[in-house]
Amino acid sequence: MKAKPRRPAVLTDVAARAGVSTMTVSRALNAPDLVRAETRARVLDAVRELDYRPNQAARQLVTGRSGTLGVVGVDTTLYGPATTLYCIEQAARRAGYSISVASLSSLKRRSVEEGVQRLRTQAADGVIIVAPHESAADGLRHLPPEMPVVAVDAGDDIPVPVVKVDQRAGAAHVTRHLLGLGHETVAHVAGPADWLDADDRIEGWRGVLEDAGRPVPEVLRGDWSPNSGYELGRGLGHAVTAVFVANDQMALGVLRALREAGRRVPEDVSVAGFDDIPESGYFWPPLTTVRQDFGEVGRLALRMLLDRMAGGDPGVRVLVAPELVVRESTGPVRRA
């Protein structure tokens, strides 16, 4: 005789196993900040033991929300946007939300509007837009007013909450570090035009040089790739003793170009990057760089979105402080 299939666990089963009320289970899963940590841990243990799967349709009827958040992103093959997206997703899952992602080929107004509309049809409760391009600003100004939205890495003149790493501060830290090693000035290999992060890093670098009364070299524009760093690195003159590169991948290309030219790092030229990708400590020499706290960006973006969904201030701006990581690719200038 066939065994009778076990019925799926329901909310009351979880409550009985955890020794709490069904209301406490609901709060632990949907509003964890309202429940003590040890109580929520008991509830989550019961959920795992019983393999409980919430009924999303019922949850939406009760709460008026789907439990799904949307993320609009572009250039998610690059380290910064990809890591930001991952950290947002992890923060959302810890808060009990699932994520639906709309990956766009560009952040023009029409693309942003279409991405948000796609997520609205999936009943997303709110949307986080990773908007590192200047061209995204127009789209962010024309979003449906009823849709709660938070932007990451966006400009300052948009009517939604924004969280971003303080790119200017990071660039200023690394430029001051290089000047402090005795270098007369610092060359800069920048990211591409239309990238807000690239422009902010230029401003941070230039501001330190101008304040110190140092020469400001012409900006060299790359495209974030190691190949562009390599090609621009081949053109660096022998008078250059320090280079700040706007991301670690381009810095890798610069290091190769300098090595091929017979210039030693850091004895002849100091090289610093930005991002602190996992491989940067294993470049040769290990790369001085600026670390961005993408985990904090993800946590803050989620917290701001949940606050926005509850009617919070649409004008909030939050900057996350970066950290300078000094390794062997930078050193004192060598005097003739």
Side-chain angles (χ1 to χ4, degrees):
M1 184 175 175
K2 270 190 175 181
K4 191 174 180 180
R6 196 179 93 177
R7 71 170 175 82
V10 295
L11 197 69
T12 52
D13 298 326
V14 176
R17 177 66 65 92
V20 297
S21 68
T22 55
M23 179 64 74
T24 299
V25 173
S26 180
R27 285 176 178 163
L29 297 178
N30 300 316
D33 291 344
L34 301 179
V35 180
R36 287 188 307 167
E38 74 175 79
T39 302
R40 184 165 189 260
R42 289 210 317 273
V43 170
L44 294 179
D45 286 343
V47 166
R48 284 189 290 269
E49 291 167 11
L50 297 173
D51 193 26
Y52 170 67
R53 300 179 185 182
N55 184 319
Q56 293 299 329
R59 174 181 176 177
Q60 188 167 0
L61 284 173
V62 172
T63 66
R65 294 181 177 174
S66 66
T68 298
L69 302 177
V71 179
V72 175
V74 69
D75 287 321
T76 51
T77 57
L78 293 172
Y79 177 75
T83 307
T84 300
L85 176 59
Y86 172 79
C87 290
I88 291 170
E89 182 177 14
Q90 292 302 302
R93 292 194 186 284
R94 284 194 296 270
Y97 286 89
S98 60
I99 288 288
S100 182
V101 178
S103 293
L104 307 181
S105 57
S106 75
L107 284 175
K108 304 285 187 187
R109 174 178 171 179
R110 184 172 179 179
S111 299
V112 172
E113 290 175 343
E114 288 175 352
V116 171
Q117 183 58 38
R118 192 188 319 162
L119 294 168
R120 289 182 76 191
T121 62
Q122 297 171 20
D125 295 324
V127 175
I128 296 173
I129 301 179
V130 183
H133 293 177
E134 182 65 42
S135 58
D138 192 39
L140 289 168
R141 294 189 193 101
H142 294 87
L143 294 172
E146 69 277 9
M147 173 61 77
V149 172
V150 167
V152 173
D153 289 341
D156 298 327
D157 57 344
I158 56 173
V160 300
V162 175
V163 58
K164 60 194 298 185
V165 172
D166 192 340
Q167 307 291 335
R168 295 186 186 193
H173 287 334
V174 73
T175 306
R176 279 194 291 266
H177 165 69
L178 291 165
L179 293 183
L181 292 170
H183 298 279
E184 174 63 20
T185 190
V186 179
H188 184 40
V189 176
D194 192 46
W195 278 78
L196 295 165
D197 288 354
D199 290 343
D200 282 347
R201 292 170 198 175
I202 290 172
E203 290 304 313
W205 159 80
R206 179 184 287 124
V208 169
L209 293 182
E210 289 177 344
D211 288 347
R214 304 299 178 85
V216 180
E218 180 183 355
V219 172
L220 306 173
R221 285 276 190 182
D223 63 9
W224 299 131
S225 72
N227 181 66
S228 71
Y230 173 72
E231 293 298 336
L232 292 169
R234 292 177 66 188
L236 292 173
H238 278 270
V240 172
T241 65
V243 188
F244 162 42
V245 190
N247 78 334
D248 292 350
Q249 286 95 339
M250 290 194 298
L252 178 62
V254 170
L255 289 171
R256 175 175 171 177
L258 291 171
R259 183 177 180 85
E260 288 182 357
R263 305 197 71 195
R264 298 170 300 164
V265 176
E267 291 85 355
D268 301 322
V269 186
S270 286
V271 178
F274 206 107
D275 280 342
D276 194 29
I277 64 175
E279 299 84 3
S280 62
Y282 299 91
F283 289 2
W284 189 253
L287 186 67
T288 291
T289 185
V290 176
R291 179 178 297 152
Q292 304 190 71
D293 192 344
F294 294 111
E296 181 66 3
V297 170
R299 287 188 292 272
L300 286 172
L302 177 68
R303 186 186 309 163
M304 291 164 68
L305 182 60
L306 297 181
D307 183 58
R308 189 75 187 95
M309 287 159 55
D313 182 3
V316 174
R317 298 286 186 277
V318 178
L319 289 177
V320 176
E323 176 189 358
L324 178 64
V325 180
V326 178
R327 299 192 179 102
E328 289 89 336
S329 67
T330 54
V333 66
R334 191 176 64 163
R335 302 296 178 187

